[in-house]
Amino acid sequence: MTCLYFRILQFYDNRQNLSLFSLRTASSIELIESSQELLRSTLPALLIYHLPLSSTSFTMGRHPTTTGTSEQISTLPRVWSNRLLGLFLSVSFLLAPILFFQWPWKFSFGLSHHRLRIIADPFFAYKDWLWTSIYPILQRIQKATLPSIRSILLTAFAFCAAVFSQNAPVDQFIATQYPISKAGVLANIGPSGSKSSEAKVCFVFMPTLFAFKLKLQAGVVIASPSTLDPDYLYTWTRDSALVYKTIIDL
Amino acid sequence: MSEYIYARFPTLFIRYTRGEDTSLRATIDNYVSSQAIQQQVSNPSGSVSSGGLGEPKFNIDLSAFTGGWGR
């Protein structure tokens, strides 16, 4: 891609009798070198990141169970399609500033410029290249100052880095929290759940005011084992249904 | 040992082919049977045929909750 970019630059430079190069030599050379360095340093990292490191990455797109070990736990499973999607997104983050500069240019100045004779943009100096589609992009980038180019690319990479760096902690948190949450949900379901069993035992020693609630039906989701301040040992229909919807989705 | 393997095989098969956890099946069946009981309980909102299905709160032995609760 960088070589292609350089060839295009050379092509247009030859056509214009090196005037472009003489005008913008330092800027374009620095741009080429910086973009080469940028691509050389980051593209392998992107490619390596999106490669699956082990066969356990293929988890059929479902949540693994608590008994399964060393499985990839994520709401977005890292199958090949998602890896390709991530690669596509990262590349499009890189191309986004270029497209961003090309798109309004094409529609505002590209087609009607030679008839209206309006030069609204001081950057557009080469009227005879109106129909070459790639040139306004390169020209826009070349005419921009180097710090702005750097900031655009660095912003794009900051986006990529932010997205990628959030994946690992989120996955770690989900891997840690998933069995805990699942056990917590199951603990509130009678009669085998640990919290509901404790509630039952507590009720044996409770005063007779709550004695009628001794028998906990199987499959009932209790709201809380707390029986005093507040007394919450009841079952709510909607909450039970939502809990079981989640359980079935597991 | 053989019973164990035979009992575990469908579970593992379903888990690794469809990614589902069948160990929760008993719990879900318990919920279905408990709902079969609960939805026929006459409660302050009514009976099965007269709006009793909209009752939000029950005791944990699935009898109707008759205390005051926001109404």
Side-chain angles (χ1 to χ4, degrees):
Chain A
M1 183 176 158
T2 316
C3 290
L4 180 68
Y5 180 70
F6 190 62
R7 284 294 178 86
I8 293 169
L9 272 187
Q10 278 183 330
F11 174 69
Y12 283 120
D13 287 341
N14 291 334
R15 275 187 61 182
Q16 201 66 10
N17 293 327
L18 293 178
S19 65
L20 188 69
F21 229 67
S22 58
L23 283 175
R24 280 289 171 183
T25 311
S27 174
S28 53
I29 286 180
E30 277 188 47
L31 173 64
I32 290 165
E33 285 179 349
S34 61
S35 60
Q36 270 182 338
E37 185 184 346
L38 217 51
L39 287 173
R40 198 184 304 123
S41 56
T42 53
L43 268 185
L46 290 179
L47 289 173
I48 288 171
Y49 179 83
H50 289 288
L51 283 178
L53 296 180
S54 64
S55 62
T56 56
S57 302
F58 300 93
T59 52
M60 309 285 177
R62 295 295 299 242
H63 279 297
T65 59
T66 48
T67 54
T69 57
S70 75
E71 284 178 291
Q72 185 76 47
I73 302 176
S74 172
T75 52
L76 189 67
R78 291 189 179 169
V79 293
W80 272 106
S81 57
N82 285 330
R83 285 171 192 281
L84 287 177
L85 178 66
L87 193 60
F88 170 74
L89 283 179
S90 55
V91 172
S92 46
F93 264 120
L94 290 178
L95 295 180
I98 296 175
L99 294 176
F100 175 75
F101 280 111
Q102 185 229 10
W103 191 81
W105 185 284
K106 186 172 65 181
F107 288 101
S108 56
F109 305 114
L111 297 178
S112 58
H113 172 72
H114 66 292
R115 291 182 182 171
L116 296 177
R117 299 291 175 190
I118 294 173
I119 305 178
D121 198 313
F123 289 146
F124 200 91
Y126 301 92
K127 303 182 216 29
D128 49 340
W129 290 350
L130 272 177
W131 300 101
T132 59
S133 62
I134 189 91
Y135 182 70
I137 313 168
L138 304 179
Q139 189 194 34
R140 184 73 178 228
I141 292 177
Q142 283 171 345
K143 295 283 182 180
T145 55
L146 195 57
S148 72
I149 298 169
R150 238 177 226 157
S151 63
I152 290 166
L153 291 175
L154 281 178
T155 307
F157 273 107
F159 268 116
C160 297
V163 170
F164 293 151
S165 61
Q166 279 172 1
N167 271 343
V170 169
D171 284 344
Q172 285 174 4
F173 172 74
I174 291 174
T176 310
Q177 188 63 35
Y178 184 85
I180 298 173
S181 299
K182 188 178 175 184
V185 167
L186 292 178
N188 281 317
I189 297 174
S192 53
S194 57
K195 289 280 176 51
S196 53
S197 304
E198 285 171 13
K200 254 197 320 190
V201 171
C202 283
F203 266 121
V204 174
F205 302 105
M206 282 300 288
T208 56
L209 179 62
F210 299 108
F212 66 93
K213 278 188 267 185
L214 269 176
K215 200 178 68 166
L216 178 64
Q217 288 278 335
V220 171
V221 182
I222 65 170
S224 165
S226 166
T227 56
L228 270 181
D229 293 332
D231 179 18
Y232 242 64
L233 189 58
Y234 297 99
T235 172
W236 268 264
T237 316
R238 179 201 58 184
D239 301 348
S240 306
L242 288 176
V243 164
Y244 271 97
K245 182 181 185 303
T246 308
I247 287 176
I248 290 170
D249 285 343
L250 296 182
Chain B
M1 188 65 191
S2 60
E3 292 94 327
Y4 177 77
I5 291 177
Y6 288 148
R8 290 284 288 175
F9 181 72
T11 303
L12 292 175
F13 182 77
I14 292 175
R15 178 178 298 168
Y16 283 110
T17 52
R18 294 168 58 187
E20 296 173 1
D21 188 1
T22 53
S23 64
L24 297 169
R25 178 62 189 268
T27 310
I28 295 170
D29 287 344
N30 280 341
Y31 177 68
V32 172
S33 52
S34 75
Q35 283 299 304
I37 300 170
Q38 180 180 343
Q39 294 182 9
Q40 300 179 38
V41 172
S42 294
N43 51 57
S45 295
S47 65
V48 185
S49 54
S50 60
L53 294 177
E55 176 70 12
K57 188 177 183 182
F58 285 86
N59 294 323
I60 62 170
D61 63 347
L62 296 183
S63 60
F65 176 76
T66 53
W69 183 63
R71 63 184 165 201

